[in-house]
Amino acid sequence: RKEVEQDPGPFNVPEGATVAFNCTYSNSASQSFFWYRQDCRKEPKLLMSVYSSGNEDGRFTAQLNRASQYISLLIRDSKLSDSATYLCVVNLRAGTASKLTFGTGTRLQVTL
Amino acid sequence: DGGITQSPKYLFRKEGQNVTLSCEQNLNHDAMYWYRQDPGQGLRLIYYSQIVNDFQKGDIAEGYSVSREKKESFPLTVTSAQKNPTAFYLCASRPLGGSSYEQYFGPGTRLTVT
């Protein structure tokens, strides 16, 4: 089983739609969670951290369910500029080091 | 401007040659990381370093080497022992201490070996 699993998509949605991505992780000792956005042939950029209480940043809402070991990202009112690959990232802290484990990403294509 | 720079953006080499990828940061971050990304796969950790003159192997260190002589710099050498070196290489950094574990990435180097 992969440490972090995501549906690769692509998710093709019209502009203005609401779209949700889920991600599951296998290590219950994982301590922090992130969503990164990666545009084609570019580096990943931090979109948002994910907290147990859930958090929102404008049109983006992230949720964490520790009991079921999954993370979600909801995008409301999709824009063309949201088209990208969204990477689910899990941090497993080991001593003073931390190790990020990346999912393979979910590709989103927003169309007119 | 503070950030992470990687050079060059594209690199072409012949099989059997060693090649060194540059990574520099002026964010005063303690920890630095090297990943490779292949199509359809998540980022995989090659090496990381938390302090100068110290580094640890990641999940796929075979065929790679690194050095950390300065806090700002963490070059990666892809040796001829690396069986599939063609990939997108990403360098990242983060500060140590505090409760934040997110990493910040450079723009990457695309290496093609033929």
Side-chain angles (χ1 to χ4, degrees):
Chain A
R1 184 184 170 187
K2 286 184 183 176
E3 290 185 67
V4 178
E5 290 208 62
Q6 296 182 252
D7 180 343
F11 284 59
N12 294 300
V13 302
E15 217 177 359
T18 295
V19 62
F21 309 136
N22 289 330
C23 161
T24 57
Y25 60 95
S26 60
N27 193 326
S28 60
S30 299
Q31 297 193 337
S32 46
F33 310 87
F34 309 95
W35 283 102
Y36 277 73
R37 170 196 169 126
Q38 186 173 25
D39 292 293
C40 189
R41 303 180 74 80
K42 298 283 181 111
E43 75 274 25
K45 291 186 178 175
L46 180 67
L47 179 66
M48 57 200 302
S49 301
V50 187
Y51 303 114
S52 296
S53 53
N55 48 301
E56 190 174 305
D57 183 1
R59 298 181 293 108
F60 299 84
T61 301
Q63 296 272 357
L64 167 64
N65 185 319
R66 283 190 187 270
S68 301
Q69 294 179 211
Y70 83 75
I71 306 149
S72 65
L73 177 67
L74 183 77
I75 305 175
R76 289 181 298 280
D77 188 22
S78 299
K79 311 289 184 196
L80 292 174
S81 57
D82 294 334
S83 298
T85 297
Y86 291 84
L87 307 178
C88 175
V89 184
V90 172
N91 176 59
L92 178 64
R93 187 177 175 189
T96 56
S98 77
K99 181 190 170 185
L100 292 188
T101 301
F102 290 77
T104 54
T106 297
R107 197 166 134 238
L108 172 66
Q109 183 66 49
V110 181
T111 56
L112 286 170
Chain B
D1 277 341
I4 305 172
T5 56
Q6 290 185 245
S7 61
K9 192 171 180 180
Y10 298 96
L11 191 53
F12 299 89
R13 280 292 182 270
K14 294 287 187 189
E15 201 173 310
Q17 294 179 333
N18 290 355
V19 59
T20 298
L21 312 184
S22 163
C23 177
E24 306 276 332
Q25 54 98 2
N26 61 4
L27 300 167
N28 199 33
H29 286 174
D30 301 287
M32 296 185 74
Y33 304 81
W34 274 106
Y35 295 89
R36 71 176 274 168
Q37 188 175 34
D38 296 280
Q41 296 198 41
L43 276 70
R44 292 183 290 165
L45 182 64
I46 304 172
Y47 266 100
Y48 66 100
S49 167
Q50 293 188 280
I51 55 173
V52 173
N53 293 322
D54 188 50
F55 46 82
Q56 280 75 42
K57 292 181 180 180
D59 300 317
I60 55 163
E62 188 174 344
Y64 299 97
S65 65
V66 292
S67 62
R68 187 93 185 271
E69 295 177 5
K70 298 187 298 182
K71 186 176 183 178
E72 306 78 28
S73 178
F74 191 40
L76 173 76
T77 297
V78 185
T79 75
S80 56
Q82 169 48 234
K83 292 178 182 148
N84 296 297
T86 294
F88 186 35
Y89 289 88
L90 289 156
C91 179
S93 71
R94 74 173 185 97
L96 289 181
S99 58
S100 159
Y101 294 97
E102 60 260 30
Q103 295 175 14
Y104 300 90
F105 286 85
T109 292
R110 282 194 187 275
L111 174 64
T112 302
V113 176
T114 57

